[in-house]
Amino acid sequence: MDISIVIPLYNEEESLPELTAWIRRVMIDHHFTYEIILVDDGSNDSSWRVIQELKQQHVEIIGIKFRRNYGKSAALNVGFNAAEGEVVITMDADLQDSPDEIPELYNRVKNQGADLVSGWKEKRFDPLTKTIPTKLFNAATRSMSGIYNLHDFNCGLKAYRKDVVKSIEVYGEMHRYIPVLAKWAGFRNIQEQVVQHYPRKYGTTKFGAGRFIKGFLDLLSIFFVGKFGKRPMHFFGTIGVLSFMIGFFITCYLIFDKLMSIANGTAYRNVTDQPLFYLSLVAILIGTQLFLTGFLAELLARSSSDRNKYHIEKII
Ligand code: UDP
Ligand code: MG
């Protein structure tokens, strides 16, 4: 099969018939063999019934339904597991992304060696309250991930080599960072393609302002896990030791200072009267705690089931 199109959806009943008909048109025009994997993320409108009806006339449709709403990342993950096409396309269900982009995305992966092609909505039809924070978010992700050629990490329209989606695991709200996950899994040919973007035709956006705070926290955890996930002690241990040493040297200085004063017979203050004393106390306590956190994290990392999971290629 050439293409699997994975579409996560939550309460998108009005868009689905139009979207699937449009995809079918494009697929037939270009003679692709394909499947459309519609992942219903626990919708409480009649999306699932619409999918069942569409399936009657359109055999390429595969429907998967969550019993409750788990989020876009979970929906993508399940869709990725089910996908069988050589190239996997993801797109939003709300008709903001155009199926007309699919042939060019496919071509880039199939014939130009791309592992992942991310859409870039150069001209966006979203409110300013969304586009400005998005710019900041993308700049932060670019500099932290080292993927400098992407303008828009979170575009729903993307194409992947099948290997890529089978090697990464999207969970929590990590769908914003799939290119980063792919890079860490060792897929380096990450490209971008300018795509058309349309205003939302039906329904409303499913992500509120909270997306930016959550997105930022996810950014921090993804980088922590990516960099230190397999060796947490290197992170906690380093700053723990540093903090401990600072406390230790201050303590030495305080003792030395007092002994010198006693020896010289000059006036001296109680150790507990000095701000430095409290600083050293805090530094030593924090240092020890970080160290212990490092040990605990290390134990967790050792017992995790994917501690020896590597992304490999093999010829036999
Ligand atoms: N979506 C989903 N589960 C959710 C929220 C959203 O599957 O919990 C789907 C939604 O139906 C749409 C896509 O994710 O197909 C993008 O959502 P939306 O268009 O609301 O996001 P925006 O375009 O505003 O960023
Ligand atoms: Mg949308």
Side-chain angles (χ1 to χ4, degrees):
M1 188 184 312
D2 298 324
I3 301 184
S4 293
I5 301 162
V6 175
I7 305 176
L9 63 110
Y10 179 55
N11 295 347
E12 310 278 5
E13 54 184 0
E14 304 100 327
S15 313
L16 292 174
E18 224 168 293
L19 179 69
T20 49
W22 190 356
I23 292 175
R24 164 140 67 178
R25 244 178 5 251
V26 175
M27 293 296 118
I28 291 174
D29 284 353
H30 290 81
H31 312 290
F32 287 131
T33 51
Y34 70 103
E35 61 184 354
I36 303 178
I37 304 176
L38 296 169
V39 188
D40 180 349
D41 185 9
S43 299
N44 42 35
D45 65 356
S46 56
S47 293
W48 184 240
R49 219 195 53 237
V50 174
I51 293 173
Q52 286 171 320
E53 282 165 18
L54 287 170
K55 172 77 187 172
Q56 303 297 316
Q57 327 128 25
H58 193 163
V59 291
E60 284 85 358
I61 289 179
I62 294 174
I64 299 176
K65 179 181 166 64
F66 285 160
R67 288 191 197 284
R68 48 160 276 232
N69 179 238
Y70 287 102
K72 187 175 177 184
S73 293
L76 284 173
N77 199 45
V78 168
F80 285 164
N81 287 338
E84 285 178 359
E86 274 182 71
V87 174
V88 178
I89 307 271
T90 58
M91 62 193 300
D92 290 352
D94 54 2
L95 293 165
Q96 289 195 270
D97 302 326
S98 156
D100 290 330
E101 311 283 355
I102 294 176
E104 177 54 23
L105 287 168
Y106 173 83
N107 178 40
R108 292 253 206 140
V109 174
K110 178 79 182 163
N111 304 319
Q112 297 178 23
D115 294 316
L116 188 162
V117 186
S118 184
W120 174 24
K121 303 165 275 190
E122 194 172 12
K123 216 166 160 248
R124 287 185 71 142
F125 292 89
D126 281 318
L128 268 188
T129 49
K130 189 159 140 190
T131 52
I132 291 175
T134 298
K135 281 216 165 77
L136 292 175
F137 156 86
N138 279 311
T141 313
R142 256 199 308 277
S143 64
M144 282 176 84
S145 65
I147 307 176
Y148 298 111
N149 60 333
L150 291 198
H151 290 86
D152 182 6
F153 282 81
N154 190 19
C155 181
L157 183 56
K158 288 189 172 64
Y160 309 83
R161 184 181 302 287
K162 186 182 185 181
D163 271 359
V164 178
V165 302
K166 300 294 180 189
S167 311
I168 59 176
E169 214 170 313
V170 197
Y171 64 95
E173 297 202 11
M174 296 301 177
H175 59 268
R176 298 190 181 92
Y177 303 103
I178 297 182
V180 184
L181 296 176
K183 186 184 171 192
W184 273 331
F187 297 99
R188 271 176 295 240
N189 194 335
I190 296 174
Q191 304 184 6
E192 183 168 70
Q193 177 178 321
V194 174
V195 295
Q196 285 287 331
H197 187 236
Y198 300 93
R200 210 180 220 285
K201 199 161 168 186
Y202 308 103
T204 54
T205 176
K206 308 300 184 297
F207 297 101
R211 73 165 84 201
F212 299 114
I213 298 165
K214 291 185 198 153
F216 179 68
L217 293 176
D218 284 344
L219 185 67
L220 293 183
S221 26
I222 203 174
F223 280 97
F224 178 76
V225 173
K227 215 166 152 78
F228 297 106
K230 289 207 187 324
R231 48 187 186 101
M233 191 51 165
H234 289 186
F235 176 77
F236 292 108
T238 312
I239 42 179
V241 167
L242 215 67
S243 174
F244 190 91
M245 294 306 267
I246 291 172
F248 180 75
F249 283 120
I250 295 178
T251 312
C252 288
Y253 165 76
L254 287 173
I255 294 172
F256 174 77
D257 190 46
K258 182 150 180 183
L259 288 178
M260 285 302 283
S261 304
I262 294 174
N264 297 336
T266 47
Y268 57 83
R269 284 195 293 173
N270 278 337
V271 166
T272 47
D273 271 350
Q274 305 183 39
L276 266 185
F277 170 70
Y278 295 98
L279 201 69
S280 71
L281 208 62
V282 170
I284 288 178
L285 280 179
I286 290 181
T288 320
Q289 290 213 318
L290 283 169
F291 215 78
L292 291 178
T293 310
F295 272 129
L296 285 180
E298 198 71 25
L299 286 179
L300 283 180
R302 301 274 134 156
S303 57
S304 94
S305 59
D306 56 358
R307 66 184 175 279
N308 259 331
K309 198 169 124 198
Y310 309 105
H311 301 289
I312 58 170
E313 264 178 78
K314 195 158 105 182
I315 42 169
I316 37 174

